[in-house]
Amino acid sequence: MRTIPHNPYDLRRHDLPAILATIDAEVRERFGEGTLPEDIPSLVGQPRERFGMAVVTLDGDVHAVGDARVPLAIQSVSKVHTLTMALHEAGDALWRRVGREPSGDPFNSLVQLEYEHGIPRNPFINAGALVVDDVLMSLHADPENALLAFLRARTGNPRIGVDPPVTAEERRSGPRNIAVANFLRSFDNLACDVDAVLDFYSFHCALRMDCVDLARSVLYLANAGECPVSGERVTSAEGATRINAVMLTCGTYDAAGDFAFHVGLPAKSGVGGAIVAVVPKVMALCAWSPALDAKGNSMLGGYALHRFTRMTGLSVF
Ligand code: GLU
């Protein structure tokens, strides 16, 4: 009988604490690389010499290193959660209002929206996320609490919440998002009040979670749509496959091709410096370090995930 020389999916073969410790040491050597975002005041002044990483397996094991329990602004990582809720509740009708192709443009660009008649390329650029928010607002009387309940159930952490000053600051510092929302409205692709949609968008960008909770919050995407923490079905198996596909192709701004090349996992990043990633059927991960590369992804978070998939062989390719 032919034997598989090395099956990366057999987690007993990996010394995960040692792998994370190695990555942590390598990353700390590189502190200073990358830049902090300039357009979000609360992120400008934050300490940049921080790194945390968490791995949560479907068997229930949690491995964490560095600053993995420090709460951070999850920013655009929240777009995975809102997409999951909207897709589960609105079904495939959602895809009539938002596409699923990489944009190749910055996340807050207006250009494509004009010539593609108000249908955003994908749910992870800001225009697409605003449409997803509009869908959720049409379905929930209190979308903010519905999202909080979703995240608390995914993680088992009832304390997850937002930073109210950051919500207010996001709201004030987002002229481009205001333009995008009004643009969507002019194409009849936003049904709710524009200001209310922008409030909800700012709210979920200002959510604070740590790496362990962030990894847990997407574990259902490794588990065919069922949340291992609460036992609930969060989305169908097909929904999870599709969300993973959109994360792989569109989840890391316009660097998704490079990310697939170097890391090889469905992932979603945010300007707060967090990146969540999924190894289908095995685990979810989160790596966080605040300084970003030129495309807006965490410089050292991306490096950490690259090292992880190289050291374990756990990429989808
Ligand atoms: N609140 C940020 C914005 O909309 C989120 C950006 C991000 O994390 O991609 O501009």
Side-chain angles (χ1 to χ4, degrees):
M1 196 175 78
R2 210 163 64 87
T3 54
I4 301 171
H6 176 65
N7 173 12
Y9 295 100
D10 180 357
L11 293 185
R12 289 168 306 180
R13 288 178 167 272
H14 304 294
D15 185 348
L16 291 176
I19 288 171
L20 291 189
T22 302
I23 294 172
D24 185 55
E26 288 182 18
V27 164
R28 281 167 200 277
E29 286 287 306
R30 293 182 55 175
F31 272 162
E33 293 182 30
T35 51
L36 292 173
E38 284 164 12
D39 50 347
I40 299 182
S42 63
L43 299 178
V44 174
Q46 65 179 324
R48 44 186 300 145
E49 305 211 330
R50 277 182 159 170
F51 171 69
M53 186 163 178
V55 171
V56 182
T57 71
L58 288 187
D59 302 333
D61 292 337
V62 177
H63 304 280
V65 78
D67 301 312
R69 299 258 47 163
V70 175
L72 57 108
I74 77 169
Q75 293 285 342
S76 280
V77 176
S78 60
K79 294 172 184 171
V80 178
H81 310 117
T82 51
L83 171 63
T84 301
M85 291 174 69
L87 189 58
H88 192 55
E89 294 168 20
D92 278 348
L94 179 73
W95 302 120
R96 287 203 285 274
R97 293 181 57 189
V98 60
R100 43 190 189 251
E101 287 293 342
S103 73
D105 270 332
F107 65 98
N108 55 7
S109 167
L110 280 153
V111 181
Q112 264 170 358
L113 211 48
E114 169 77 359
Y115 62 75
E116 296 186 350
H117 311 292
I119 306 294
R121 273 285 174 103
N122 68 66
F124 292 151
I125 54 172
N126 289 9
L130 288 165
V131 169
V132 167
D133 287 354
D134 188 60
V135 168
L136 284 178
M137 291 175 68
S138 311
L139 295 168
H140 292 271
D142 187 346
E144 295 183 356
N145 269 318
L147 178 59
L148 282 178
F150 176 94
L151 291 170
R152 290 170 180 167
R154 295 300 69 78
T155 56
N157 180 355
R159 291 178 308 281
I160 287 172
V162 289
D163 191 338
V166 177
T167 312
E169 173 195 291
E170 287 269 330
R171 192 65 176 83
R172 282 194 305 274
S173 65
R176 257 180 184 271
N177 291 337
I178 296 170
V180 169
N182 282 292
F183 223 49
L184 289 165
R185 179 55 163 251
S186 75
F187 284 106
D188 277 335
N189 201 7
L190 217 59
C192 300
D193 175 68
V194 166
D195 282 326
V197 177
L198 287 164
D199 286 345
F200 180 45
Y201 178 85
S202 306
F203 171 87
H204 63 73
C205 286
L207 282 159
R208 291 185 77 74
M209 291 168 69
D210 64 30
C211 291
V212 173
D213 281 344
L214 271 176
R216 271 202 191 108
S217 75
V218 294
L219 200 50
Y220 60 91
L221 293 173
N223 195 37
E226 195 180 293
C227 172
V229 178
S230 68
E232 287 167 276
R233 175 148 295 285
V234 178
T235 184
S236 62
E238 189 171 305
T241 305
R242 289 174 164 185
I243 294 165
N244 281 330
V246 179
M247 285 169 71
L248 184 79
T249 52
C250 313
T252 42
Y253 306 112
D254 50 338
D258 235 21
F259 206 83
F261 187 89
H262 287 297
V263 176
L265 292 176
K268 180 75 198 87
S269 59
V271 289
I275 309 177
V276 293
V278 177
V279 184
K281 304 178 183 61
V282 183
M283 62 173 62
L285 305 96
C286 176
W288 170 57
S289 192
L292 310 179
D293 64 18
K295 295 281 175 77
N297 294 302
S298 170
M299 182 94 163
L300 297 175
Y303 172 75
L305 291 170
H306 160 75
R307 291 291 289 135
F308 184 85
T309 55
R310 285 301 166 277
M311 288 163 84
T312 58
L314 283 167
S315 93
V316 297
F317 299 114

